Amino acid sequence: MRGPVREQTERIRAVLALGGVPWGDLDDGLQQVRLKLLTEEARGTGSIRDRDAWTAVVASRVAVDWHRARTREADLRARLAARWERHRGTEHAQEDLPLALSVASCLESLSRPQRQVITLRYYMDLSVAEIASLLEIPAGTVKSRLHAAAAVLRDRLTEEGADRRG
């Protein structure tokens, strides 16, 4: 790397680290700052007067966003654990085991956002509005993720069923 670019990279990493971003996530944070810089420069508005100051502010915002996401994720895990405890003693028939394993396998293949909404809707029995509030996303986004995830699950489970029969 050239001198000024390397200095700017180290400065951004330092701001992220001071903001509490773990060492392993610094490169991701650095990429986010660079992407925002490129996006802002592509607009051509000339709003960046001091590039170093601008990147430091953006890096501190990325660190705050990182903390908010971790807090939201921890809160979601705690809520799921509390709901799971209520359903813990449910017994299932032995013949349901292959289907349960197939569903679990298919769930793992979904994207993280799709898996979240499917789990919250069908396993935790939350409404679309509750999921939207919990994940801090619009209800329409929850509905579209549910629809897309259900379609993927339906297709994969149909394929697995055909494979077992055929």
Side-chain angles (χ1 to χ4, degrees):
M1 259 187 245
R2 298 178 317 218
V5 172
R6 184 179 184 127
E7 287 175 19
Q8 185 180 35
T9 299
E10 294 306 316
R11 196 173 303 122
I12 292 169
R13 289 172 144 248
V15 171
L16 291 169
L18 289 171
V21 176
W23 194 258
D25 292 336
L26 289 180
D27 287 336
D28 291 337
L30 177 64
Q31 292 306 317
Q32 288 179 28
V33 173
R34 285 181 175 166
L35 180 63
K36 290 178 188 214
L37 177 64
L38 290 172
T39 303
E40 190 63 31
E41 287 178 342
R43 285 187 186 150
T45 60
S47 61
I48 300 175
R49 284 181 258 142
D50 183 353
R51 191 176 187 172
D52 290 338
W54 189 90
T55 56
V57 169
V58 171
S60 66
R61 289 180 183 161
V62 166
V64 168
D65 290 345
W66 183 89
H67 282 289
R68 285 183 182 149
R70 294 310 169 268
T71 302
R72 196 169 39 246
E73 201 170 281
D75 184 41
L76 178 61
R77 283 192 182 124
R79 287 183 183 186
L80 285 174
R83 283 186 176 259
W84 187 257
E85 279 299 314
R86 285 187 250 153
H87 301 289
R88 194 173 211 185
T90 307
E91 291 294 323
H92 299 284
Q94 190 64 26
E95 60 266 10
D96 292 340
L97 184 60
L99 178 61
L101 291 173
S102 293
V103 170
S105 172
C106 290
L107 279 172
E108 287 178 7
S109 66
L110 293 175
S111 69
R112 184 169 181 246
Q114 288 177 334
R115 194 170 44 250
Q116 273 183 330
V117 295
I118 286 286
T119 303
L120 292 171
R121 179 69 186 107
Y122 297 108
Y123 288 90
M124 296 295 123
D125 201 28
L126 296 179
S127 68
V128 170
E130 290 172 320
I131 296 169
S133 173
L134 188 64
L135 297 178
E136 297 177 359
I137 58 176
T141 302
V142 172
K143 290 177 183 177
S144 66
R145 287 180 185 173
L146 280 170
H147 179 76
V152 170
L153 286 174
R154 184 174 39 253
D155 292 345
R156 291 196 180 141
L157 288 171
T158 302
E159 288 173 11
E160 283 188 20
D163 290 345
R164 268 188 262 144
R165 281 180 257 141

